[in-house]
Amino acid sequence: MSEIRVVVADDNPVVRSGLVSLLEATGVATVVAEAGDGRRAIELAERHRPDLVLLDVRMPLLDGVSALQTLSGITRVLMLTYTDEPDVIRAAVRGGASGYLVHGTFDVDDLAAAVRQAASGTGNPLSPVAITALMNAVKEPAQDRPRNADRARYGLSAREAEVMDLIAQGRANREIASELFLTEKTVKNHVNRIFAKLAVENRAAAIARWLGTAVGDR
């Protein structure tokens, strides 16, 4: 992807301005529009058809999680927010977010890499608190989980299930390969088969489905 076109949506003008400056200074993206609320973010996404929307959670008129349901049907969305509540994080992943970053947990290089990964669909950047929120869904009592969170129904092999558990912990293919004594190519093949069996297109969606928090799994 040569040029990443981004819409930045945050109700705080200082935060919004800072993000725009960072993105343009790194050269990772061109900001085509800015929004201060969820409704405006949807309008601008429909108008500009950007490669990515950076979306805050707490915004007036329409909050980020609610706006996400429409935005994720238009383009990829990376949540970029101060909100670290587990329920909100899970709701964002269920809603189709390509990643979830919490301010204060990443630097400029991390942000640039996250934008590239989310926009291209090659990764699903998650802050540690987001990974924890998703992992904790696994630890909930069985009666509190969705009825069809039974993983056996997806038909994953034992090895694929191992790989998927590590994906849910936020591990990259290289880390998974090292831990399971496999080549990266083999891990990639497993990941492709896992995505097909879970009927998903990216890591965030796979994690949501595997943990029983995806839309339609309730």
Side-chain angles (χ1 to χ4, degrees):
M1 182 175 293
S2 56
E3 179 186 37
I4 301 174
R5 301 170 66 254
V6 173
V7 168
V8 175
D10 194 300
D11 66 324
N12 187 322
V14 175
V15 173
R16 197 167 64 239
S17 176
L19 285 173
V20 171
S21 297
L22 282 176
L23 290 172
E24 295 188 341
T26 61
V28 70
T30 296
V31 178
V32 297
E34 301 176 39
D37 62 75
R39 289 182 186 172
R40 184 63 173 161
I42 292 172
E43 292 174 2
L44 293 172
E46 290 176 334
R47 180 187 306 172
H48 294 281
R49 298 287 166 170
D51 301 302
L52 184 69
V53 173
L54 296 184
L55 186 65
D56 188 21
V57 170
R58 309 295 185 195
M59 293 188 293
L61 300 182
L62 188 66
D63 67 87
V65 174
S66 297
L68 178 61
Q69 297 178 31
T70 300
L71 286 169
S72 62
I74 300 172
T75 187
R76 293 188 173 96
V77 180
L78 174 61
M79 306 305 293
L80 197 57
T81 178
Y82 283 101
T83 303
D84 60 2
E85 288 93 332
D87 288 346
V88 174
I89 294 170
R90 295 177 195 178
V93 173
R94 287 199 303 270
S98 294
Y100 197 108
L101 296 183
V102 177
H103 288 295
T105 65
F106 58 87
D107 59 23
V108 175
D109 291 338
D110 293 332
L111 176 60
V115 167
R116 291 191 188 96
Q117 291 170 5
S120 65
T122 58
N124 301 98
L126 298 168
S127 289
V129 67
I131 295 172
T132 298
L134 296 176
M135 283 301 296
N136 282 343
V138 179
K139 301 175 185 177
E140 294 172 354
Q143 64 269 24
D144 293 335
R145 296 182 195 168
R147 286 190 302 273
N148 54 5
D150 179 9
R151 299 168 174 185
R153 72 190 181 96
Y154 296 119
L156 269 63
S157 67
R159 176 63 85 185
E160 289 166 351
E162 282 185 296
V163 171
M164 189 59 234
D165 278 333
L166 291 171
I167 289 174
Q169 293 175 33
R171 306 288 186 86
N173 285 358
R174 181 180 300 176
E175 296 172 305
I176 295 172
S178 176
E179 181 151 342
L180 298 181
F181 302 101
L182 301 171
T183 66
E184 283 191 60
K185 181 177 180 181
T186 298
V187 171
K188 185 175 181 180
N189 289 337
H190 281 312
V191 171
N192 288 336
R193 285 194 293 270
I194 289 168
F195 284 4
K197 290 180 179 180
L198 298 185
V200 299
E201 296 182 356
N202 58 55
R203 270 172 144 78
I207 292 170
R209 180 139 294 167
W210 189 240
L211 301 185
T213 58
V215 173
D217 285 352
R218 288 194 179 278

